[in-house]
Amino acid sequence: MPIIINLDVMLARRKMSLTELSDRVGITMSNLSILKTGKAKAVRLETLEAICKALECQPGDILEFRAD
Amino acid sequence: MKTQIKFIKLAYLVILTLTFAFGFIYGGRESFEEGYNEASNIEGSKKLSPMLIKANNPLFLNLKDHVSGDSLNLNISYLADVRVFKKSQDTTSLLDALSFLKGCILLIITFFALRVLVYLYRFIDSIQRGDVFSTENIKRLSLMGYYCMSIPFVILGLDLITYTINKSFFKNLPYKVVYQGDFDFWLLIFGLTLLTIAFVFKKGIEIKQENDLTI
């Protein structure tokens, strides 16, 4: 899939663990793990909004398009 | 909902048990009758066993006059005392082989019918457990569909064999056995419907996976 999710990069920049993000956003660890590993088929706008709020960043910081 | 599924499961179990019981009792009775008739052979002639005169209809045997072309329906009870000429030596081995083949086909049909019932039970059981859209269910539905679709063809083969056996019995008489095989279209349509449902389930799994992977 050409859409890359840079969640781990943003987590490292903010020095935040996945568990902490899970607590703040209200998404289960397994779902965050699916998102992080790039297995997710779709992301809801409200989830993206919550992640951006928690990480204090823009959607573009998390999502990236890279042509195959 | 739970009571409904329990009721369906119970119905499947009852049908399964009855199929087993009926298969054994009916098969046993037929074998006994055949053996009994074999034992009461009179020199030069052979008493017709009920199993062998069962052409395509269990109650009637359709005969046709060679010359006039008139057809005649004989009830099985009238045929109980009919004596036909003894089979010649070379046709006996062929008839034995055909009878063996007929038995094998009957076993295949029984196997298919039982498999369909078992799959139906497992299917309803998995639905009760909440595991509706699974690959196992697709496999079960597809196999049930293929079994249901093949049963009419197998029955057609069985009819042909029975017809051949009966025809050889009546070759010395001025009558000819009329072939009256019927093709079970409804079972074929039912099989196709099951395959369509299996395809819908396949699409359902794809949609479920997509939904599960939407964060």
PDB file of all heavy atoms in Angstrom, chain A residues 31 40-44 47, chain B residues 209-215:
ATOM      1  N   ASN A  31      -5.555  -2.397  18.176  1.00  0.00           N
ATOM      2  CA  ASN A  31      -5.893  -1.547  17.044  1.00  0.00           C
ATOM      3  C   ASN A  31      -4.751  -0.589  16.711  1.00  0.00           C
ATOM      4  O   ASN A  31      -4.462  -0.347  15.531  1.00  0.00           O
ATOM      5  CB  ASN A  31      -7.173  -0.758  17.328  1.00  0.00           C
ATOM      6  CG  ASN A  31      -8.420  -1.562  16.979  1.00  0.00           C
ATOM      7  OD1 ASN A  31      -8.334  -2.570  16.295  1.00  0.00           O
ATOM      8  ND2 ASN A  31      -9.556  -1.121  17.466  1.00  0.00           N
ATOM      9  N   ALA A  40      -3.736  -1.773   8.663  1.00  0.00           N
ATOM     10  CA  ALA A  40      -5.072  -1.161   8.632  1.00  0.00           C
ATOM     11  C   ALA A  40      -5.514  -0.867   7.199  1.00  0.00           C
ATOM     12  O   ALA A  40      -4.709  -0.492   6.354  1.00  0.00           O
ATOM     13  CB  ALA A  40      -5.073   0.114   9.444  1.00  0.00           C
ATOM     14  N   LYS A  41      -6.815  -1.098   6.951  1.00  0.00           N
ATOM     15  CA  LYS A  41      -7.367  -0.847   5.609  1.00  0.00           C
ATOM     16  C   LYS A  41      -7.892   0.583   5.506  1.00  0.00           C
ATOM     17  O   LYS A  41      -7.926   1.158   4.424  1.00  0.00           O
ATOM     18  CB  LYS A  41      -8.512  -1.831   5.334  1.00  0.00           C
ATOM     19  CG  LYS A  41      -8.061  -3.268   5.228  1.00  0.00           C
ATOM     20  CD  LYS A  41      -8.120  -3.740   3.809  1.00  0.00           C
ATOM     21  CE  LYS A  41      -7.661  -5.189   3.735  1.00  0.00           C
ATOM     22  NZ  LYS A  41      -7.428  -5.617   2.381  1.00  0.00           N
ATOM     23  N   ALA A  42      -8.364   1.121   6.635  1.00  0.00           N
ATOM     24  CA  ALA A  42      -8.911   2.474   6.634  1.00  0.00           C
ATOM     25  C   ALA A  42      -8.764   3.097   8.021  1.00  0.00           C
ATOM     26  O   ALA A  42      -8.672   2.389   9.016  1.00  0.00           O
ATOM     27  CB  ALA A  42     -10.384   2.440   6.238  1.00  0.00           C
ATOM     28  N   VAL A  43      -8.722   4.426   8.051  1.00  0.00           N
ATOM     29  CA  VAL A  43      -8.630   5.148   9.326  1.00  0.00           C
ATOM     30  C   VAL A  43      -9.799   6.129   9.397  1.00  0.00           C
ATOM     31  O   VAL A  43     -10.030   6.891   8.452  1.00  0.00           O
ATOM     32  CB  VAL A  43      -7.291   5.919   9.435  1.00  0.00           C
ATOM     33  CG1 VAL A  43      -7.173   6.610  10.788  1.00  0.00           C
ATOM     34  CG2 VAL A  43      -6.106   5.007   9.215  1.00  0.00           C
ATOM     35  N   ARG A  44     -10.548   6.078  10.504  1.00  0.00           N
ATOM     36  CA  ARG A  44     -11.656   7.021  10.656  1.00  0.00           C
ATOM     37  C   ARG A  44     -11.099   8.410  10.944  1.00  0.00           C
ATOM     38  O   ARG A  44     -10.062   8.550  11.617  1.00  0.00           O
ATOM     39  CB  ARG A  44     -12.561   6.575  11.813  1.00  0.00           C
ATOM     40  CG  ARG A  44     -13.465   5.450  11.438  1.00  0.00           C
ATOM     41  CD  ARG A  44     -14.578   5.265  12.473  1.00  0.00           C
ATOM     42  NE  ARG A  44     -15.147   3.932  12.321  1.00  0.00           N
ATOM     43  CZ  ARG A  44     -14.768   2.875  13.007  1.00  0.00           C
ATOM     44  NH1 ARG A  44     -13.833   2.988  13.920  1.00  0.00           N
ATOM     45  NH2 ARG A  44     -15.309   1.700  12.798  1.00  0.00           N
ATOM     46  N   THR A  47     -10.616   9.124  14.586  1.00  0.00           N
ATOM     47  CA  THR A  47      -9.413   8.481  15.156  1.00  0.00           C
ATOM     48  C   THR A  47      -8.183   9.327  14.848  1.00  0.00           C
ATOM     49  O   THR A  47      -7.327   9.572  15.728  1.00  0.00           O
ATOM     50  CB  THR A  47      -9.234   7.073  14.549  1.00  0.00           C
ATOM     51  OG1 THR A  47     -10.460   6.381  14.571  1.00  0.00           O
ATOM     52  CG2 THR A  47      -8.200   6.276  15.289  1.00  0.00           C
TER      53      THR A  47
ATOM     54  N   GLN B 209     -13.586  -8.321   7.200  1.00  0.00           N
ATOM     55  CA  GLN B 209     -12.156  -8.061   7.399  1.00  0.00           C
ATOM     56  C   GLN B 209     -11.855  -6.573   7.227  1.00  0.00           C
ATOM     57  O   GLN B 209     -11.070  -5.987   7.984  1.00  0.00           O
ATOM     58  CB  GLN B 209     -11.346  -8.883   6.400  1.00  0.00           C
ATOM     59  CG  GLN B 209     -11.034 -10.274   6.920  1.00  0.00           C
ATOM     60  CD  GLN B 209     -10.285 -11.102   5.915  1.00  0.00           C
ATOM     61  OE1 GLN B 209     -10.166 -10.723   4.748  1.00  0.00           O
ATOM     62  NE2 GLN B 209      -9.811 -12.257   6.336  1.00  0.00           N
ATOM     63  N   GLU B 210     -12.509  -5.984   6.214  1.00  0.00           N
ATOM     64  CA  GLU B 210     -12.298  -4.562   5.953  1.00  0.00           C
ATOM     65  C   GLU B 210     -12.780  -3.726   7.138  1.00  0.00           C
ATOM     66  O   GLU B 210     -12.132  -2.778   7.557  1.00  0.00           O
ATOM     67  CB  GLU B 210     -13.065  -4.174   4.686  1.00  0.00           C
ATOM     68  CG  GLU B 210     -12.399  -3.039   3.917  1.00  0.00           C
ATOM     69  CD  GLU B 210     -13.043  -2.872   2.563  1.00  0.00           C
ATOM     70  OE1 GLU B 210     -12.641  -3.587   1.646  1.00  0.00           O
ATOM     71  OE2 GLU B 210     -13.951  -2.040   2.442  1.00  0.00           O
ATOM     72  N   ASN B 211     -13.932  -4.160   7.673  1.00  0.00           N
ATOM     73  CA  ASN B 211     -14.508  -3.453   8.819  1.00  0.00           C
ATOM     74  C   ASN B 211     -13.632  -3.622  10.068  1.00  0.00           C
ATOM     75  O   ASN B 211     -13.439  -2.683  10.833  1.00  0.00           O
ATOM     76  CB  ASN B 211     -15.915  -3.986   9.071  1.00  0.00           C
ATOM     77  CG  ASN B 211     -16.686  -3.115  10.022  1.00  0.00           C
ATOM     78  OD1 ASN B 211     -16.659  -1.895   9.903  1.00  0.00           O
ATOM     79  ND2 ASN B 211     -17.336  -3.728  10.977  1.00  0.00           N
ATOM     80  N   ASP B 212     -13.102  -4.838  10.226  1.00  0.00           N
ATOM     81  CA  ASP B 212     -12.246  -5.106  11.389  1.00  0.00           C
ATOM     82  C   ASP B 212     -10.954  -4.298  11.322  1.00  0.00           C
ATOM     83  O   ASP B 212     -10.392  -3.925  12.354  1.00  0.00           O
ATOM     84  CB  ASP B 212     -11.906  -6.607  11.456  1.00  0.00           C
ATOM     85  CG  ASP B 212     -13.090  -7.426  11.960  1.00  0.00           C
ATOM     86  OD1 ASP B 212     -14.059  -6.800  12.435  1.00  0.00           O
ATOM     87  OD2 ASP B 212     -13.050  -8.665  11.854  1.00  0.00           O
ATOM     88  N   LEU B 213     -10.482  -4.058  10.114  1.00  0.00           N
ATOM     89  CA  LEU B 213      -9.204  -3.355   9.952  1.00  0.00           C
ATOM     90  C   LEU B 213      -9.381  -1.853   9.745  1.00  0.00           C
ATOM     91  O   LEU B 213      -8.475  -1.166   9.312  1.00  0.00           O
ATOM     92  CB  LEU B 213      -8.412  -3.962   8.787  1.00  0.00           C
ATOM     93  CG  LEU B 213      -7.881  -5.382   9.036  1.00  0.00           C
ATOM     94  CD1 LEU B 213      -7.310  -5.980   7.796  1.00  0.00           C
ATOM     95  CD2 LEU B 213      -6.834  -5.379  10.145  1.00  0.00           C
ATOM     96  N   THR B 214     -10.589  -1.366  10.042  1.00  0.00           N
ATOM     97  CA  THR B 214     -10.805   0.082  10.015  1.00  0.00           C
ATOM     98  C   THR B 214     -10.668   0.585  11.446  1.00  0.00           C
ATOM     99  O   THR B 214     -11.415   0.183  12.334  1.00  0.00           O
ATOM    100  CB  THR B 214     -12.202   0.416   9.456  1.00  0.00           C
ATOM    101  OG1 THR B 214     -12.270  -0.093   8.135  1.00  0.00           O
ATOM    102  CG2 THR B 214     -12.450   1.913   9.432  1.00  0.00           C
ATOM    103  N   ILE B 215      -9.658   1.427  11.652  1.00  0.00           N
ATOM    104  CA  ILE B 215      -9.357   1.885  13.012  1.00  0.00           C
ATOM    105  C   ILE B 215     -10.052   3.236  13.263  1.00  0.00           C
ATOM    106  O   ILE B 215      -9.944   4.148  12.480  1.00  0.00           O
ATOM    107  CB  ILE B 215      -7.824   2.024  13.224  1.00  0.00           C
ATOM    108  CG1 ILE B 215      -7.104   0.776  12.703  1.00  0.00           C
ATOM    109  CG2 ILE B 215      -7.505   2.275  14.681  1.00  0.00           C
ATOM    110  CD1 ILE B 215      -7.390  -0.510  13.397  1.00  0.00           C
TER     111      ILE B 215
END
